[in-house]
Amino acid sequence: KRDFKHLPIELYTCSGEVRAKMYFAKSKQLSMLRTVCSHISNLFEGVEKKFQYKMRLVYAHFPINATITNGGATVELRNFLGEK
């Protein structure tokens, strides 16, 4: 969920497209406009395609043991504070 009310940008739909408009914009305002447009396109892309997180377990000194329980619903971490 994104909120662009704090920016002086007009957002409207026209024939199935979302359009953004800004009047008398300089370079900083144009960069804000491009950022809003990329946010909107990323929102649509995230809705159309399924997004999947891939997490990797990393440790620096103490080894961490991770087991997946409840049929993949929970992850149980052991030894993450350095104890045995």
Side-chain angles (χ1 to χ4, degrees):
K1 186 175 178 179
R2 299 271 190 242
D3 185 19
F4 303 115
K5 291 181 182 177
H6 64 282
L7 299 174
I9 297 173
E10 288 184 18
L11 291 173
Y12 60 96
T13 57
C14 180
S15 67
E17 294 180 342
V18 177
R19 295 195 179 199
K21 189 185 288 187
M22 180 183 284
Y23 295 103
F24 306 112
K26 299 197 190 257
S27 64
K28 294 271 186 174
Q29 288 85 13
L30 285 176
S31 66
M32 285 190 316
L33 183 65
R34 282 189 217 105
T35 303
V36 168
C37 291
S38 65
H39 275 299
I40 291 171
S41 65
N42 288 339
L43 286 170
F44 279 113
E45 185 176 335
V47 169
E48 290 173 356
K49 299 178 183 176
K50 288 190 175 182
F51 188 77
Q52 184 178 24
Y53 284 106
K54 292 186 179 181
M55 296 180 67
R56 188 173 287 170
L57 187 65
V58 179
Y59 60 91
H61 181 70
F62 297 110
I64 300 172
N65 297 328
T67 57
I68 299 173
T69 58
N70 285 342
T74 59
V75 176
E76 184 177 312
L77 295 175
R78 293 184 183 177
N79 197 19
F80 65 94
L81 293 176
E83 67 262 358
K84 288 190 174 187

